């Protein structure tokens, strides 16, 4: 595995791979790798000649009162895991290399950013889009791999790739969960034992909502209420949001139809957690054939 921290050297190597006709799969991360990340790496490994992993805690996507300084970091561990999973190139730049001087140009995400997490994290997706534009221009991948746990991020990246015509295929990978259903996240390490024992209630609430949809519930208000009540009954967390919206537009829905995202975010004393499920339903006006109603399935 080649470890690189310089942009110019990375670009030269990537150009060489492209000249050799090799396909490049890219997994952008902020490190502290867990099984969610390794599922992205494994998928990229299976689908490309070259797998590039970036580990960069991007200061631009953290608000002033967020956890940039204490975000978990362990590069030696990340390096070992990357190597074990067959990464070819590990890109680990310093912040000075990525942002040597104040930016002249940065991304502003116009849609899909002012709902869900974007509401309580203003500027977050602008920071994500800006660093991804840089990383895409550095790595020049054929495919980029993202986990569905951050469904809003995936919707924003989908818009970024489309709007700016990056010749990159966006590959969505299902959320990886602990045995008790908690979505894997680098931030799970912040949870106290009590919070950790309560945290699986998020996914349990989402599963209860999916079962209600399967039984025919189509009211977004009823689904939101059910998810809220479950989380309130089983945790001490403060609910940031419970939303039912279309995917990938992220428009809030009154009636469930089409591709539906049910998403939650909660604040425990020490960590903010998010989770979601995606459900496929017939679009409004489409005749259900009976099977269509059954065909509701969760993608994450
Ligand atoms: O999902 C993340 O880890 C980050 O938002 C990303 C995509 C690596 C950009 O910094």
């Amino acid at each position: 595995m080649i470890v690189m921290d310089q942009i110019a050297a990375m670009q030269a190597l990537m150009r060489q791979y492209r000249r050799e006709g090799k396909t490049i799969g890219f997994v952008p991360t902020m490190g502290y790798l867990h099984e969610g990340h390794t599922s992205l790496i494994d998928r990229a490994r299976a689908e490309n000649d070259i797998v590039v992993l970036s580990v960069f805690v991007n200061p631009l996507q953290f608000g002033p009162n967020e956890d940039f300084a204490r975000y978990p970091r362990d590069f030696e561990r990340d390096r070992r895991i990357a190597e074990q999973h067959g990464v070819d190139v590990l890109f680990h730049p310093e912040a000075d290399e990525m942002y040597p001087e104040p930016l002249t140009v940065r991304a502003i995400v116009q849609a899909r950013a002012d709902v869900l997490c974007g509401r309580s994290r203003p500027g977050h997706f602008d920071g994500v889009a800006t660093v991804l534009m840089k990383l895409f221009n550095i790595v020049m991948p054929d495919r980029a791999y993202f986990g569905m746990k951050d469904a809003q991020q995936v919707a924003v990246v989908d818009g970024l790739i489309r709007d700016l015509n990056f010749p990159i295929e966006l590959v969505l990978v299902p959320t990886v969960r602990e045995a008790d259903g908690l979505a894997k996240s680098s931030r799970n390490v912040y949870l106290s034992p009590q919070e950790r024992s309560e945290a699986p209630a998020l996914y349990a609430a989402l599963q209860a909502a999916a079962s209600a949809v399967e039984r025919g519930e189509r009211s977004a208000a009823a689904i939101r209420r059910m998810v809220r009540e479950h989380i309130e009954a089983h945790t001490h967390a403060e609910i940031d949001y419970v939303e039912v919206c279309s995917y990938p537009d992220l428009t809030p829905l009154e009636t469930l139809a089409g591709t539906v995202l049910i998403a939650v975010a909660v604040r425990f004393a020490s960590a903010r957690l998010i989770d979601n499920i995606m459900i496929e339903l017939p679009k409004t006006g489409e005749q259900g054939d009976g099977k269509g109603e059954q065909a509701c399935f969760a993608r994450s």
Side-chain angles (χ1 to χ4, degrees), residues 112-181:
R112 306 179 182 179
D114 55 352
V115 290
L116 306 177
C117 292
R119 231 189 331 246
S120 54
R121 303 189 72 189
H124 167 71
F125 288 108
D126 297 346
V128 171
T130 303
V131 78
L132 285 176
M133 286 180 346
K134 289 173 70 74
L135 289 168
F136 287 166
N137 283 323
I138 294 166
V139 177
M140 297 173 258
D142 297 280
R143 302 187 183 88
Y145 293 80
F146 288 85
M148 279 310 294
K149 179 177 150 276
D150 294 316
Q152 184 172 17
Q153 171 166 279
V154 176
V156 167
V157 176
D158 171 77
L160 173 73
I161 287 179
R162 205 183 301 257
D163 290 353
L164 298 188
N165 305 103
F166 281 105
I168 298 173
E169 182 191 339
L170 173 61
V171 183
L172 314 188
V173 180
T175 302
V176 178
R177 299 182 179 281
E178 304 286 355
D180 59 11

Side-chain angles (χ1 to χ4, degrees), residues 26-31 37 54 56-58 61-62 71 124-125 127-129 131-132 135 145-147 150 153 157:
F26 177 40
V27 181
T29 79
M30 298 204 299
H37 297 115
S54 66
F56 177 62
V57 184
N58 173 35
Q61 67 190 73
F62 290 80
Y71 193 84
H124 167 71
F125 288 108
V128 171
V131 78
L132 285 176
L135 289 168
Y145 293 80
F146 288 85
D150 294 316
Q153 171 166 279
V157 176

Side-chain angles (χ1 to χ4, degrees), residues 72-241:
R73 295 161 169 89
D74 188 342
F75 183 65
E76 279 318 309
R77 184 175 159 275
D78 289 345
R79 182 207 286 259
R80 263 196 320 275
I81 294 173
E83 193 143 33
Q84 280 159 7
H85 285 263
V87 168
D88 298 292
V89 182
L90 173 52
F91 181 51
H92 178 53
E94 293 293 329
D96 285 358
E97 176 70 5
M98 289 295 277
Y99 304 116
E101 49 204 32
L103 288 167
T104 320
V105 177
R106 61 193 289 169
I108 296 177
V109 181
Q110 302 276 23
R112 306 179 182 179
D114 55 352
V115 290
L116 306 177
C117 292
R119 231 189 331 246
S120 54
R121 303 189 72 189
H124 167 71
F125 288 108
D126 297 346
V128 171
T130 303
V131 78
L132 285 176
M133 286 180 346
K134 289 173 70 74
L135 289 168
F136 287 166
N137 283 323
I138 294 166
V139 177
M140 297 173 258
D142 297 280
R143 302 187 183 88
Y145 293 80
F146 288 85
M148 279 310 294
K149 179 177 150 276
D150 294 316
Q152 184 172 17
Q153 171 166 279
V154 176
V156 167
V157 176
D158 171 77
L160 173 73
I161 287 179
R162 205 183 301 257
D163 290 353
L164 298 188
N165 305 103
F166 281 105
I168 298 173
E169 182 191 339
L170 173 61
V171 183
L172 314 188
V173 180
T175 302
V176 178
R177 299 182 179 281
E178 304 286 355
D180 59 11
L182 175 63
K184 301 252 183 189
S185 163
S186 304
R187 290 187 167 99
N188 290 349
V189 295
Y190 299 151
L191 296 170
S192 70
Q194 171 70 26
E195 291 168 343
R196 175 62 189 83
S197 71
E198 293 178 1
L202 269 67
Y203 187 51
L206 292 168
Q207 281 183 307
S211 304
V213 176
E214 235 170 311
R215 289 194 302 273
E217 182 59 77
R218 293 293 180 269
S219 156
I223 294 293
R224 283 197 304 268
R225 192 165 50 244
M226 169 183 295
V227 172
R228 269 186 181 276
E229 282 173 3
H230 188 102
I231 294 173
E232 281 164 1
H234 293 90
T235 76
H236 291 85
E238 182 196 329
I239 296 177
D240 184 353
Y241 63 74

Side-chain angles (χ1 to χ4, degrees), residues 23-28 36-53 85-88 141-146 169 171-173:
T23 56
I24 300 169
F26 177 40
V27 181
H37 297 115
T38 55
S39 73
L40 306 180
I41 299 171
D42 294 344
R43 177 85 180 265
R45 182 66 286 161
E47 295 178 352
N48 301 277
D49 299 319
I50 299 293
V51 175
V52 178
L53 175 79
H85 285 263
V87 168
D88 298 292
D142 297 280
R143 302 187 183 88
Y145 293 80
F146 288 85
E169 182 191 339
V171 183
L172 314 188
V173 180

